[in-house]
Amino acid sequence: MAAIDAATAESPEQKPLEEVETVVVRFCGDSGDGMQLAGTQLTNVSAVFGNDVVTLPDFPAEIRAPAGTLSGVSGFQISFSSDDIYTPGDEVDTLVAMNPAALKANIADLKRGGTLTVNEDAFEKSNLQKAHYDHNPLESEDELAGYRLHKVPMTRLTRDAVEELGLSQKIADRCKNFFALGLVFWLYDRDPTPTKEWINAKFGKNPSIVQANLNALAAGSNYGYSTESFTVHYRVPPARLAPGKYRKITGNEATAFGLVTAAKLAGKKLFYAGYPITPASDILHELSKLKNFGVRTCQVEDEIAAMTAVVGAAYTGELAVTASSGPGICLKAEAMGLGVMTELPMVIVDVQRGGPSTGLPTKTEQSDLLLAMYGRNGDCPLPILAASGPGDCFQMAQEAFRLATEFMTPVILLTDGYIANGAEPWRIPAISELRPVDVVHPEGTNNGHESDFRPYARNEKLARPWAIPGTPGLQHRVGGLEKSDGTGNVDYSPENHEHMVKTRQAKVAGIANHIPEQTVEGPESGELLVLSWGGTYGSNRTAVRECLRAGKSVAHAHLRYLNPMPRNLGEVISRYKKVLIPELNTGQLRLLIRSYFLVDAVGYNKIKGKPFLVSELVSKIDEVLAS
Amino acid sequence: MSTDSSALPVLTAKDFASDQEIRWCPRCGDYSILAQMKKVLPKLGIPKENFVFVSGIGCSSRFPYYMDTYGFTGINGRDPALATGVKVRRPDLSVWVITGDGDALSIGGNHLMHAIRRNIDLKIILFNNQIYGLTKGQYSPTSPLGSRTKSTPMGSVDNPVTPLCVAIGSEATFVARAVDVDIKGLVETLERAAAHKGTAFVEVYQDCNVFNPGAFSYATDKKIKEDNLIYLEHGKPLIFGKDGEKGIRLNEMKPEIVELGKGISEDDLLFHDEKAEEPSLAFLLSRMRYPEFPEPVGVFRDVEKSVYDERVNAQVDEAVQNKGEGDLEALFNSGDTWTVK
């Protein structure tokens, strides 16, 4: 308890508190070290304090790769700011590395002069070998000289802090993430109350574990202000966010909230069928907690069953949804086609990850756009939306159901691993702000006699009636075979097929008249338009803003509607001499834009499983402007 | 005419006929199954609009188009999954799955197994003709080893699967077999399936007179069928043969054919118990295949267990009871919140 004694002996005011605007912290360690937890807690306390926050969890696909190895390194990056921010930051200000492998894998992202805090105890021979170090970098004279290095014996200090509780060493060592967190809390002057409450709630049944984690947290903070190692700490004032009540939300949480909200607004109970897949499983988890909203979740035998069950539930009049990622979406393709053919409303969420095949399960990518557009047999169009950030998933999930039910069609919502797992502050909407979802089912005849019901009659939006089983007199058959328009009977005739293919196409195309027109940030016309879509909104917006402040002739348009695209998009694009399309793929949107508008758009394509850095976008913008 | 609006209209087989032209080959076994189904449904006391027929792909899967009920012809093999979506949302509906040996056991084998083990309240009728008919004559998972078909000119090299074994192995609570032209037996079996709460799995031997004619002639030919079939009756001994002269006896867990008389009485025979909690007996019966044994027809197994669609919905009810009806405002405001002024 030496650290605590020392702390009480000195006044914390002796160390200067500097004010800074934006800070980027990354915790990294073994996947069993609790780094995601430490990152989430720092996010929570920062959000509750009133900072704007953006997070970037980065974890391996292996749940517990061999301890100490490079493949097992798990990281969690958070940026918190007194300004409004849209990215988790290009460079890290403070890196906490729990072992040599974590140091090796992450040191390149730490800015020169940044704070490097390492768990000194973990830098022993076997860990160094596992990280492929032939020496101890902490003992090297110049290797880490460019950083403010703090060698902290975290394992030993954590053991000391929990000693009085008589826990096994294994349990004691598990608390060291809270030691690291406590140290960061001190370093950035964070109020630990939300974390203390969380520890009490989470481990309440086991008082000694509660106490151990609280001790470790306190020991970490005390280490910061009592040792000479740290000479200064920082304060990040609250952000100037729009007035309102806020909470922190991840993209997957927001998607789940949006889906439930749409169902509630439509007077329906949500039906969800799914199969576990990274990074979409959290949507299933979140919805499974919400059964008191009438949500029925079925974890079924495979992706195909999930999609097909959704089609079945949609036939009964339910708001039905499934979520998956690339490999699962491939398996769903046939049943999605069935949804298009039977013209039933449903939502398919694709939380994109690195592909092809199993690819990079835990890393982000935007490479399913063309899969969403064309990944089914036949001419099989359906509307595609893409959320621009974690909070936007809430709105776009509702929008997906609005379009699905208004136009009687499956709708794909694209998110990605980055925004699905990333968190940001979310202004809690008032119920009155939410857009209603109106659903009408035709009523049947009361006498049970047949009526002249035409299941494929169409309204002005080309949508067919959504007649549901149990309605007297409206018995009808649907299926995957081509339909005769109007009656819905099986019809293979050449004229009918061409008519139906074009009708389904026209129905989806007509949605362009019922979605917002494209807006731009920056000048209405000029040298360069940066056109982005989906989860890269934050980095593109930040990069363009930076260029605008520097007086460059550049504007930003961000697409959330990919099919159909906003009806004025071609006209918007024509107002700029050049178009740059940054994407986390090899150029899928660019392919569409070039073919739709015959414009010589330039791509900036990153396929590394990581989001864009603002700096690399700014460089590319400069390059295109100069060309 | 009754003025009581709650009284169900009296329905007949005709009420269940759709206006669609039936496109099965002449003398296809499917006609008989369709006819018996139309006879059975009006007797169930269920309003017509509460029936949903779901199918996959194949000749049998055209079935929903010929019924004037709600119907959904899905995609190949996925019908149990599609029906699951229907039934979970609407447990009040009577949901029937019409499938074939290829649809249910090959491309859709996975879904069949999982629907059955969940015991979702579906009536699954598998038309087994041991051939792919709609794709014009390839062997199916139930075709005997060595079957010469378009895709196996030298004979198939696949071991076949026995549908009822799959069902019982998947913990089916209701398992039965019927023969397409045995009108009385088929009607009774369909009625029993309809009465069962939970997954009812019925295999119907169905003659494809174009691509696999006579596959079940041993079970349909009047001259020999009595020697090749055993009509199962709960609590009764397993007796067969034209004059009831033969029976099945257990010998060290193996069935054997014995002749009655000559010191062997009915009491020595195996007695059928469709209510047995353990499925071992039903499985043993399902393993009895022609020509080694007479094949049992009728209900192999009929036990009561909790039902998937009810369990799903019960959890929703329980959640509402414990937490109250979901409130969006409370949901949005859950967890840590803060206010910006």
Side-chain angles (χ1 to χ4, degrees), chain A residues 23-27 42 76-80 88 91-96 184 187-188:
Chain A
V23 160
V24 179
V25 176
R26 186 187 295 175
F27 293 96
L42 179 60
F76 191 106
Q77 181 169 323
I78 163 181
S79 179
F80 50 96
E91 290 186 303
V92 175
D93 296 304
T94 289
L95 181 70
V96 179
V184 172
L187 189 60
Y188 292 108

Side-chain angles (χ1 to χ4, degrees), chain A residues 44 47-48 50-51 194 239 241-248 257 260-261 264 268-269 271 289-296 298-302 304-305 308-309 311-313 315-318 334-335 338 342 344 394 425-426 428-429 431 434 450 468-472 474-481 483 489-490 492, chain B residues 1 9 15 18-20 23 48-52 57 62 64-76 78-90 92-93 107 110-112 114-115 117-118 308 312-313 315-317 319-320 323-329 331-341:
Chain A
N44 267 351
V48 171
N51 293 130
L241 298 172
K245 194 172 172 193
Y246 283 79
R247 59 167 286 159
K248 183 201 73 169
F257 281 18
V260 169
T261 299
K264 188 94 178 170
K268 296 279 185 184
K269 317 278 190 204
F271 175 86
K289 293 180 207 159
L290 302 178
K291 292 190 175 174
N292 62 323
F293 284 81
V295 178
R296 280 133 177 100
C298 295
Q299 181 184 316
V300 291
E301 58 270 22
D302 62 23
I304 299 171
T308 318
V311 175
Y315 182 59
T316 67
E318 197 56 279
E334 188 192 14
L338 180 65
T342 52
L344 288 166
F394 174 73
W426 179 59
I428 297 168
I431 302 301
L434 305 172
E450 296 309 296
I468 57 176
T471 315
L474 302 188
Q475 289 88 342
H476 66 284
R477 274 66 56 193
V478 295
L481 294 169
K483 305 280 173 293
N489 290 333
V490 176
Y492 303 145
Chain B
M1 195 178 162
D15 289 309
S18 81
D19 59 357
Q20 298 297 296
R23 296 186 183 183
K48 196 166 94 163
E49 62 272 15
N50 283 359
F51 287 104
V52 180
I57 298 290
R62 295 295 180 91
Y65 280 112
Y66 307 142
M67 300 287 298
D68 189 32
T69 63
Y70 285 91
F72 204 133
T73 300
I75 44 180
N76 215 344
R78 319 304 171 202
D79 20 341
L82 204 151
T84 297
V86 174
K87 186 69 187 181
V88 166
R89 165 66 175 91
R90 289 290 301 271
D92 58 313
L93 300 175
I107 193 167
N110 194 32
H111 308 301
L112 180 74
H114 290 284
R117 60 116 176 154
R118 291 186 188 110
Y308 177 77
V312 170
N313 287 288
Q315 283 196 346
V316 170
D317 296 342
V320 171
K323 298 188 197 170
E325 187 84 41
D327 173 42
L328 287 178
E329 209 156 352
L331 174 67
F332 299 163
N333 286 279
S334 59
D336 293 329
T337 62
W338 68 97
T339 301
V340 175
K341 293 196 176 103

Side-chain angles (χ1 to χ4, degrees), chain A residues 15 115 117 150 152 183 186-187 223-224 227-232:
Chain A
K15 289 190 182 179
T115 301
T117 303
H150 301 281
V152 184
L183 182 53
W186 174 80
L187 189 60
Y223 184 87
T227 64
E228 289 176 1
S229 177
F230 292 88
T231 53
V232 63

Side-chain angles (χ1 to χ4, degrees), chain A residues 11 16 49 137 183 321-323 342 362 375 467 530 546 624:
Chain A
S11 163
F49 175 68
L183 182 53
V321 58
T322 185
T342 52
T362 59
V530 175
E546 217 173 293
V624 176

Side-chain angles (χ1 to χ4, degrees), chain A residues 260-281:
Chain A
V260 169
T261 299
K264 188 94 178 170
L265 294 174
K268 296 279 185 184
K269 317 278 190 204
L270 192 74
F271 175 86
Y272 180 97
Y275 188 74
I277 185 169
T278 303
S281 301

